[in-house]
Amino acid sequence: MEWGILPMTLVLGIESSCDETAASVVQDGCTVLSNIVASQDELHTEYGGVVPEIASRAHLERILPVIQEAIKNANIELSAIDAVAVGNRPGLIGSLLVGVAAAKTLAWTLNKPIIAVDHVIAHLWAPHLSGASIEYPALGVVVSGGHTSLLLLTDPSNAKCLGKTIDDAAGEAFDKAAAILKLGWPGGQRIDNAAAKGSPVHRLPRPKTKGNRPDFSFSGLKTALLYGVRGNPSKVDGKMIFPHSPEELSTQEICDWASSFQHAAVDSIINGVHNALSNNPVRCVVSGGGVLANSLLRTKLTVTAEQFHIPIHLPESTYCVDNAAMIAGLGHYLFTHGQRDSLSITASPRGIAS
Ligand code: KG4
Ligand code: ZN
């Protein structure tokens, strides 16, 4: 079946891989008729990170109202959808299962096809939702709270993983850095805002992994920030005691540390992108994930693509974070290319880049 042969195809997308419960109706892969995202930030704030059991329970409570709202906002009847697309991998297993169960139930009761979608590859559909025309092969750059991966895409759905993080994801590192600086959670936007008022006066490491693969490592950078801010610890009765506390820092010092961290994290990502572009001839760079909301990363990625004389496609801010429009959009592409999954599909914590 050829791309675009089905006019006015409506796909309902469902996303529940981490802590956003989301549903969206997308027409013909790119026109977003509705995009509902129920964030759980307030439930996880006191723990400074996503608690899987709390996340899956919250998905259970929210999934049906979120789907209903997506259908209502799209101004369609539920029976008008042509297929149900669901992010079934990778992610938190208990969270994924809620979306998968809802999608299967809808597909079965409506007698519509179900399409299983890889969440990480779907992040790279985001620029399509703003009308980007993407030529392949492309270098996919996914930077989020759960993933930091470089993918070689031969088309929107076929990806080979060139490199990924060997420990923390970049977004996770931003969240931990914000915790060290007592800026709150989630931390990415807070580090970005603080960095805008600071300067990168501290030299933090740009960790490199061994070998030629463009892999990433962010846990050493986080530790370097911790020791930089609080001094070298000593062990007393098995406990790490730091000579300084972040409360001793002035607002300007916090902003300078945030800026120094942001520069180091972004440079690490850019080094990997540079390596991947040097070794893989591609026609463009396409990017997605929550950390693409970061101002410095957007600027430096744009400059890097320019150095290689290729265009870059960045997601607009609404589609950086986890959402179901990207699932429905890639789901539409797969649907029009003949993918039909069985109702026996299940969720998997692993995907192309994990
Ligand atoms: O894509 P996403 O919603 O979740 C995953 O799929 O993992 O990304 C969330 C991540 C969080 O770690 C958050 O701190 C980070 O994206 N983030 C940012 C910014 N806005 C959100 N990181 C850096 N700078 C930002 N402006
Ligand atoms: Zn994501």
Side-chain angles (χ1 to χ4, degrees):
M1 202 176 291
E2 282 309 307
W3 162 245
I5 209 162
L6 298 172
M8 288 282 287
T9 306
L10 297 177
V11 175
L12 170 68
I14 297 177
E15 154 63 31
S16 67
S17 66
C18 189
D19 63 335
E20 268 92 22
T21 319
S24 164
V25 177
V26 173
Q27 181 183 311
D28 294 336
C30 298
T31 306
V32 181
L33 302 188
S34 63
N35 182 34
I36 308 298
V37 181
S39 160
Q40 301 178 7
D41 283 356
E42 83 284 3
L43 299 179
H44 303 284
T45 301
E46 68 171 296
Y47 306 101
V50 177
V51 181
E53 290 78 7
I54 293 177
S56 40
R57 197 170 315 158
H59 283 307
L60 265 180
E61 288 165 6
R62 293 160 193 220
I63 192 86
L64 293 180
V66 162
I67 292 172
Q68 273 165 349
E69 205 178 335
I71 296 293
K72 188 169 155 235
N73 281 17
N75 213 8
I76 60 162
E77 296 294 323
L78 187 55
S79 56
I81 60 164
D82 296 288
V84 183
V86 60
N88 77 324
R89 64 191 188 281
L92 300 173
I93 193 74
S95 292
L96 286 166
L97 280 169
V98 176
V100 169
K104 282 188 192 182
T105 309
L106 279 173
W108 184 70
T109 49
L110 297 169
N111 196 22
K112 305 285 178 178
I114 187 166
I115 315 290
V117 174
D118 184 295
H119 173 95
V120 172
I121 301 180
H123 265 302
L124 298 174
W125 188 268
H128 289 272
L129 301 172
S130 316
S133 170
I134 298 173
E135 293 191 275
Y136 297 88
L139 176 70
V141 181
V142 182
V143 194
S144 72
H147 310 280
T148 308
S149 307
L150 298 174
L151 304 176
L152 182 60
L153 293 165
T154 48
D155 68 41
S157 67
N158 273 307
K160 177 182 158 202
C161 182
L162 299 173
K164 61 182 178 164
T165 181
I166 59 163
D167 41 53
D168 294 346
E172 202 179 344
F174 270 89
D175 291 335
K176 287 177 179 172
I180 290 167
L181 294 171
K182 300 267 184 247
L183 291 173
W185 185 85
Q189 190 59 54
R190 294 162 203 253
I191 291 276
D192 202 354
N193 294 344
K197 294 178 229 136
S199 307
V201 293
H202 306 285
R203 179 78 196 165
L204 290 170
R206 273 80 174 146
K208 283 204 182 80
T209 55
K210 287 186 194 132
N212 288 330
R213 260 175 68 100
D215 285 326
F216 305 99
S217 167
F218 292 101
S219 77
L221 171 59
K222 168 205 67 192
T223 308
L225 175 70
L226 177 68
Y227 286 16
V229 167
R230 304 196 57 185
N232 287 336
S234 43
K235 252 192 178 170
V236 180
D237 295 336
K239 270 191 177 169
M240 302 274 256
I241 304 293
F242 288 93
H244 302 291
S245 85
E247 283 78 16
E248 294 168 29
L249 296 175
S250 68
T251 305
Q252 188 57 52
E253 283 168 332
I254 289 174
C255 293
D256 288 344
W257 277 113
S259 170
S260 305
F261 170 84
Q262 181 167 278
H263 271 85
V266 168
D267 281 355
S268 293
I269 298 165
I270 294 299
N271 287 342
V273 170
H274 207 280
N275 174 331
L277 287 176
S278 304
N279 295 307
N280 297 279
V282 290
R283 301 178 80 172
C284 69
V285 177
V286 54
S287 58
V291 183
L292 264 299
N294 188 271
S295 47
L296 184 67
L297 178 59
R298 291 176 85 90
T299 306
K300 289 206 170 184
L301 272 177
T302 304
V303 171
T304 308
E306 271 167 19
Q307 285 166 352
F308 285 83
H309 308 291
I310 52 174
I312 176 149
H313 302 286
L314 299 162
E316 69 180 81
S317 59
T318 320
Y319 303 122
C320 285
V321 286
D322 286 350
N323 65 86
M326 67 186 198
I327 302 288
L330 182 56
H332 172 269
Y333 175 87
L334 296 166
F335 178 60
T336 53
H337 283 71
Q339 180 173 322
R340 303 287 183 274
D341 289 295
S342 116
L343 286 174
S344 63
I345 57 160
T346 189
S348 168
R350 300 216 161 270
I352 179 77
S354 51

